[in-house]
């Protein structure tokens, strides 16, 4: 398996989690979300990937979208916020992510110990 293929699979699995984490504490509009995620090479995302995902998260009631005026003369922007269900799902994801990271760390540590014996 090539690095790009593996990374693509991993990213696909954590993109929703990354989006929910990013909008947890503040309303955010699409381009701002893209910019925030693109600060991290492994989480870089395009509009073509983000907006269908946001629509899906909205459809399953994890986020809510609201059009807001920002400044006079500038078109309104669609801002995204977590719903109550979105907060609950994010709490579950945070717990499960911790378990996953812990499990992987334990496996790596066991392998390193075995390699040194």
């Amino acid at each position: 398996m090539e690095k790009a293929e593996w990374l693509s699979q991993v990213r696909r699995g954590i993109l929703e989690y990354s989006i929910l984490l990013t909008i947890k504490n503040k309303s955010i509009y699409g381009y701002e979300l893209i910019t925030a995620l693109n600060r991290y090479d492994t989480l870089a995302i395009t509009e073509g990937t983000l907006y269908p995902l946001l629509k899906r998260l909205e459809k399953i009631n994890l986020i809510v979208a609201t059009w807001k005026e920002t400044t006079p003369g500038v078109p309104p922007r669609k801002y995204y916020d977590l719903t109550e269900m979105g907060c609950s799902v994010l709490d579950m994801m945070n717990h499960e992510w911790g378990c996953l990271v812990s499990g992987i760390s334990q496996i790596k540590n066991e392998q390193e110990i075995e390699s040194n014996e």
Side-chain angles (χ1 to χ4, degrees):
M1 177 182 295
E2 292 184 24
K3 176 184 172 183
E5 180 184 344
W6 179 79
L7 205 52
S8 174
Q9 290 176 9
V10 171
R11 285 183 68 239
R12 205 172 305 129
I14 63 169
L15 205 47
E16 289 179 5
Y17 181 45
S18 300
I19 289 169
L20 296 179
L21 279 171
T22 304
I23 65 174
K24 178 184 178 189
N25 294 320
K26 72 172 199 162
S27 296
I28 193 167
Y29 60 94
Y31 183 75
E32 187 178 20
L33 186 53
I34 289 171
T35 302
L37 292 173
N38 285 350
R39 286 185 292 166
Y40 311 99
D41 290 338
T42 55
L43 298 175
I45 190 170
T46 64
E47 290 179 17
T49 300
L50 178 66
Y51 289 107
L53 186 50
L54 289 172
K55 185 175 284 280
R56 193 179 82 67
L57 292 173
E58 188 176 8
K59 185 177 180 179
I60 61 174
N61 198 33
L62 298 185
I63 64 172
V64 62
T66 309
W67 287 96
K68 295 181 184 178
E69 296 280 339
T70 52
T71 54
V74 175
R77 292 179 172 151
K78 194 174 193 178
Y79 281 81
Y80 299 92
D81 292 284
L82 289 182
T83 61
E84 190 174 314
M85 182 189 296
C87 289
S88 295
V89 168
L90 181 57
D91 287 343
M92 177 273 302
M93 289 175 162
N94 282 329
H95 173 76
E96 294 302 323
W97 181 257
C99 292
L100 285 167
V101 168
S102 176
I104 294 296
S105 293
Q106 289 175 20
I107 291 169
K108 286 177 63 179
N109 288 338
E110 289 170 7
Q111 294 301 317
E112 289 173 5
I113 291 169
E114 289 176 11
S115 293
N116 291 331
E117 291 179 349

